[in-house]
Structures are given as structure tokens and as C-alpha cells.
Amino acid sequence: MIDYKNSGSIGWESPSNIALIKYWGKKGNQLPCNPSISMSLKNSLTRTVLSYEPKGNGDQLSFLFEGKRQVSFEQRITKFLGNLSDHFKFLTDYQLSVSSENTFPHSTGIASSASAMSSLALCLCSMEEEISGVKMAEDEFYRKAGFIARLGSGSASRSVYGGFVAWGESNSFSKSSDEYAVPFSKYTHPVFLDFQDAILLVSSKKKEVSSSAGHQLMENHPYASARFAQANKHFERMLGVLRSGDLEEFIEIMENEALSLHGLMMNSTPSFTLLKPNTLELIERIRSYRLSSNVPVGFTLDAGPNIHLLYPKSEKERVVPFIDSELSQFLENGKYIVDEKGEGPQKIKM
Ligand code: DP6
């Protein structure tokens, strides 16, 4: 029997992700200028609950973030939902209450738009299934969720899957698409299976440049075409590395990507220097520790000063004492967040 529903509640928790090859520059309707690849996290999640009922006279959306009304998020989500009528025809007939919370603090170098928009997109796809009574095939469901998440925030498209996830067309990955993300995990070398990410908090101040404003900086950037060519090459090499397990090359590409991103921001007009003196101190210490110890540990950065320190779990017993003894003195209140590669979003049992 088909189960048509008029009202209900759906919940999804979805991870943030850290990009190894960066998406920086977009075109058209939220399409990337180059392919990117990320690792989905395990502990840094957004939990979103979406309740729906037939539309009455009230507002279409009420939105609570961590129990409180947040007007700026509400406006962003209202705009996002307003653009989805071609993909979810039913949406305008319903009134939605969305409530979400993060398992991680704000402004920590953890991309909250990725986890937030992906969890909301997953809720909307589940709502479509409930209302229509038609279940999508599993791969179709996640592809649509990634497509919808992308319209909310590009990097969110990668968060609908666990492990390593690619987004953006590339000749070196035949399944890749600009429209949605594709999981890469099933091809990865065992050394990456339990990869760790320690997020080192240099500063928890609000970002100086929003991602959207950052992407715009690439529109007239003098190095734009060289950057997109570099990202394509890095993407292709990174896919090879994820298969081969060559950690030296992995670290070389990952660090080059992080510093290229910041280099592009520094010589943009206007220019942004988001690296702090302590970020540079940490980078030097990580590099010299790697040289002297031979421990394969490397860093990457988002559009902010905080460092993501990536390494295989087998090195945890050496890396954690290194963070505690050498790096924590340069961190805000000595703090860092322990995370690792995760398995992707989970539907919450309601
Ligand atoms: C530096 O996905 O946050 O983290 O599409 O405008 O929401 P919007 O941008 P967003 O950009 C992420 C930029 C980055 C690199 C990356 O995650 O690939």
C-alpha cells in the first residue's frame, strides 16, 4: 500500500567535510570552476529536523538554530527553498518548521554550511518520498540530495556521502559531474580508511570573508585560469594518490592546495590575509616535525586561520603527544577538536 502523508517530521544528521582539493571559484547556478575532493568528517555534524504540514496562513518557514530563532539563517534558507520549486513541486503547498543544531562550535574552521545544507537537502528528499509515497533508488536519492545541497552551498554537495567525495567535472573521473558529488571511497587505499583530522584552533573569530564573497574574488583574478588548470592537475594526481596510498605525495598536494587558496586570497582585489602569525608558526613546526620524525602528517586550511592536521590512525600515538607538547601553546586556549573520516549522513529515527 502506498503511504501518502500530509504532515510529518523527518530528521537527518550530516557531516561537515574538509576539502583536499579546493573549490574556489564558481560559475552559473552554483557550478564549480574546477573539480574538488574532500574527506567527510565523523564527529562534526549538523542535526536537522524538518516538520511539514499543509500550508495555512502563516509564514512558509520557521527556523530554529540550537533552539533559537536566527534571522540570517532563516533568510538564507527561505531564499534556498524559494529556488527549489522546479525540483520539489510540492514545496509551496507546505509549511515547514526546521530546527537544527551542530555538534561543533562556531567559527572553528569547520564548514557548517556543508553539514547544515546537506542535512536539510536530505530532509527535503525524504519529505518528497513521504509525500509522494514513491521511494527513490538509493543512488538516485543521494544524487538528488547532493544536487539540492549544492544549490544551498557548493561544498555541501560533497557531504551527502561519507569517506572521500569528488565534486566537479574532470576527465580523470568519468562519473564526475558539476551538478552533484560522487563518492570516491570504494577505490581508496587502506591507509586512508581511518584517517584522522585534528582541527587546531588558532582563532574562533568570525570569518573575515564569506565563502560566497571569496568565490567572487576569482571572477576577475589575474591567476584564475592558472589556478583552475592547477586544481584539475591536483585533482587527477590526488585520485591516483588515494588509490596508491602514497602519503608523501598526498601531503605535498594537500598542503600546496591549502597555500594556493590563501595565496589567491592574498593577491585578490580586495586582498585578504586570513593566516595568522600562529598559523605560520604551526605550519613551520608541522613541517619540521615531519622531516625529523618521518611521521606522515600534513595540514590543510579552509578560508580561515585554523589548521586541519591530517594523518593515518596508526600514527595517533605519536601525533597527539606532538600536538599537546609542541602545537597547543599556539592554539586559542590550547584547544583543538579531534575528528576523523566519517561514514556519511544518517537518518534520525523519529
Ligand atoms: C574554501 O561551499 O562554503 O571551503 O558555494 O558559496 O556556499 P558556497 O561556498 P562554500 O565554499 C567552500 C570553500 C572552501 C573549499 C572547499 O570546501 O572546497
Side-chain angles (χ1 to χ4, degrees), residues 200 278 281-282 284-290 292-293 318-331:
L200 310 178
N278 280 353
E281 181 71 46
L282 291 164
E284 283 186 12
R285 284 181 184 247
I286 293 161
R287 286 181 161 173
S288 80
Y289 171 73
R290 183 165 72 230
S292 63
S293 67
R318 297 214 278 170
V319 174
V320 171
F322 162 63
I323 299 175
D324 290 336
S325 64
E326 265 213 57
L327 304 186
S328 65
Q329 57 186 308
F330 302 105
L331 305 182

Coordinates of all heavy atoms in Angstrom, one line a residue, residues 200 278 281-282 284-290 292-293 318-331:
L200 N 43.0 22.4 14.6 CA 43.8 23.2 15.6 C 43.2 24.6 15.5 O 43.3 25.3 14.5 CB 45.2 23.2 15.2 CG 45.9 21.8 14.9 CD1 47.3 22.0 14.5 CD2 45.8 20.9 16.1
N278 N 50.3 32.8 14.2 CA 50.3 31.4 14.8 C 50.1 30.3 13.8 O 50.5 29.2 13.9 CB 49.4 31.3 16.0 CG 50.0 31.9 17.3 OD1 51.1 32.2 17.3 ND2 49.1 31.9 18.3
E281 N 53.4 29.8 12.3 CA 54.3 29.1 13.3 C 53.9 27.6 13.3 O 54.8 26.7 13.3 CB 54.0 29.7 14.7 CG 54.8 29.1 15.8 CD 56.3 29.5 15.8 OE1 56.6 30.7 15.6 OE2 57.1 28.6 16.0
L282 N 52.7 27.3 13.3 CA 52.2 25.9 13.3 C 52.7 25.2 12.1 O 53.2 24.0 12.1 CB 50.7 25.8 13.4 CG 50.1 26.2 14.8 CD1 48.6 26.5 14.7 CD2 50.4 25.2 15.9
E284 N 55.2 25.8 10.2 CA 56.7 25.5 10.3 C 57.0 24.3 11.2 O 57.8 23.5 10.9 CB 57.4 26.7 10.7 CG 57.6 27.8 9.6 CD 58.4 28.9 10.0 OE1 59.1 28.9 11.0 OE2 58.4 29.9 9.2
R285 N 56.3 24.3 12.3 CA 56.5 23.2 13.3 C 56.1 21.9 12.7 O 56.7 20.9 12.9 CB 55.9 23.5 14.6 CG 56.7 24.6 15.3 CD 56.1 24.9 16.7 NE 56.9 26.0 17.2 CZ 57.7 25.9 18.3 NH1 57.7 24.8 19.0 NH2 58.3 26.9 18.7
I286 N 54.9 21.9 12.0 CA 54.4 20.6 11.5 C 55.4 20.1 10.4 O 55.8 18.9 10.4 CB 53.0 20.8 10.8 CG1 52.0 21.1 11.9 CG2 52.6 19.6 10.0 CD1 50.7 21.8 11.4
R287 N 55.9 21.0 9.6 CA 56.9 20.6 8.6 C 58.2 20.1 9.2 O 58.8 19.1 8.7 CB 57.1 21.7 7.6 CG 55.9 21.9 6.7 CD 56.0 23.0 5.7 NE 55.1 22.8 4.5 CZ 54.9 23.7 3.6 NH1 55.6 24.8 3.6 NH2 54.1 23.5 2.6
S288 N 58.7 20.8 10.2 CA 60.0 20.3 10.7 C 59.8 19.1 11.5 O 60.7 18.2 11.5 CB 60.7 21.5 11.4 OG 60.2 21.6 12.7
Y289 N 58.7 18.9 12.2 CA 58.4 17.6 12.9 C 58.3 16.5 11.8 O 58.9 15.4 12.1 CB 57.1 17.7 13.6 CG 56.6 16.4 14.2 CD1 57.2 15.8 15.3 CD2 55.5 15.7 13.6 CE1 56.8 14.6 15.8 CE2 55.1 14.5 14.2 CZ 55.7 13.9 15.3 OH 55.3 12.8 15.8
R290 N 57.7 16.7 10.7 CA 57.6 15.7 9.7 C 59.0 15.3 9.2 O 59.2 14.1 9.0 CB 56.7 16.2 8.6 CG 56.5 15.2 7.5 CD 55.3 15.6 6.6 NE 55.7 16.7 5.7 CZ 55.0 17.8 5.5 NH1 53.8 17.9 6.2 NH2 55.4 18.7 4.7
S292 N 61.9 15.6 10.7 CA 62.7 15.0 11.7 C 62.2 13.6 12.2 O 63.0 12.7 12.5 CB 63.0 15.9 12.9 OG 61.7 16.1 13.5
S293 N 60.9 13.4 12.1 CA 60.3 12.2 12.7 C 59.9 11.2 11.6 O 59.7 10.0 11.9 CB 59.1 12.5 13.5 OG 58.1 13.0 12.6
R318 N 51.8 9.0 18.2 CA 53.0 9.9 18.1 C 52.4 11.3 17.9 O 53.0 12.3 18.4 CB 53.9 9.5 16.9 CG 54.5 8.1 17.2 CD 55.9 8.0 16.7 NE 55.9 7.7 15.2 CZ 56.9 7.7 14.5 NH1 58.1 8.1 15.0 NH2 56.9 7.4 13.2
V319 N 51.4 11.4 17.1 CA 50.9 12.8 16.7 C 50.2 13.5 17.9 O 50.5 14.7 18.1 CB 50.0 12.7 15.4 CG1 49.4 14.1 15.1 CG2 50.7 12.2 14.2
V320 N 49.4 12.8 18.6 CA 48.7 13.5 19.7 C 49.7 14.1 20.7 O 49.6 15.3 21.1 CB 47.6 12.6 20.4 CG1 47.0 13.2 21.6 CG2 46.5 12.3 19.3
P321 N 50.7 13.4 21.2 CA 51.7 14.0 22.1 C 52.4 15.2 21.4 O 52.7 16.2 22.1 CB 52.7 12.9 22.4 CG 51.9 11.6 22.1 CD 50.9 11.9 21.1
F322 N 52.7 15.1 20.1 CA 53.3 16.2 19.4 C 52.4 17.4 19.5 O 52.9 18.6 19.7 CB 53.6 15.8 18.0 CG 53.8 16.9 17.0 CD1 54.9 17.8 17.2 CD2 53.0 17.1 15.9 CE1 55.1 18.8 16.3 CE2 53.2 18.2 15.1 CZ 54.3 19.1 15.2
I323 N 51.1 17.2 19.2 CA 50.2 18.4 19.3 C 50.2 19.0 20.7 O 50.3 20.2 20.9 CB 48.7 18.0 19.0 CG1 48.6 17.4 17.5 CG2 47.7 19.2 19.1 CD1 47.2 16.9 17.2
D324 N 50.1 18.1 21.7 CA 50.0 18.6 23.1 C 51.3 19.3 23.5 O 51.2 20.3 24.2 CB 49.7 17.4 24.0 CG 48.3 16.9 23.8 OD1 47.4 17.6 23.3 OD2 48.0 15.7 24.1
S325 N 52.4 18.7 23.1 CA 53.6 19.3 23.7 C 54.1 20.5 22.8 O 54.7 21.4 23.4 CB 54.7 18.3 23.8 OG 55.0 17.8 22.5
E326 N 53.9 20.5 21.5 CA 54.6 21.5 20.7 C 53.6 22.5 20.1 O 53.9 23.6 19.8 CB 55.3 20.8 19.6 CG 56.8 20.6 19.9 CD 57.6 20.7 18.7 OE1 57.6 21.8 18.0 OE2 58.3 19.7 18.4
L327 N 52.4 22.0 19.8 CA 51.5 22.9 19.0 C 50.5 23.6 19.9 O 50.1 24.7 19.6 CB 50.7 22.1 17.9 CG 51.6 21.3 16.9 CD1 50.7 20.7 15.8 CD2 52.7 22.2 16.3
S328 N 50.0 23.0 21.0 CA 48.9 23.5 21.7 C 49.2 24.9 22.3 O 48.3 25.7 22.4 CB 48.4 22.6 22.8 OG 49.4 22.4 23.7
Q329 N 50.5 25.2 22.5 CA 50.8 26.6 23.0 C 50.4 27.7 22.0 O 50.3 28.8 22.4 CB 52.3 26.6 23.4 CG 53.2 26.3 22.1 CD 54.6 26.2 22.5 OE1 55.2 27.1 23.0 NE2 55.3 25.1 22.1
F330 N 50.3 27.3 20.8 CA 49.9 28.4 19.8 C 48.4 28.4 19.4 O 48.0 29.1 18.5 CB 50.7 28.1 18.5 CG 52.2 28.2 18.7 CD1 52.9 27.0 18.7 CD2 52.8 29.4 19.0 CE1 54.3 27.0 19.0 CE2 54.2 29.4 19.2 CZ 54.9 28.2 19.2
L331 N 47.7 27.6 20.2 CA 46.2 27.5 19.9 C 45.4 28.3 20.9 O 45.8 28.5 22.0 CB 45.8 26.0 20.0 CG 46.6 25.1 19.1 CD1 46.0 23.7 19.3 CD2 46.5 25.5 17.7

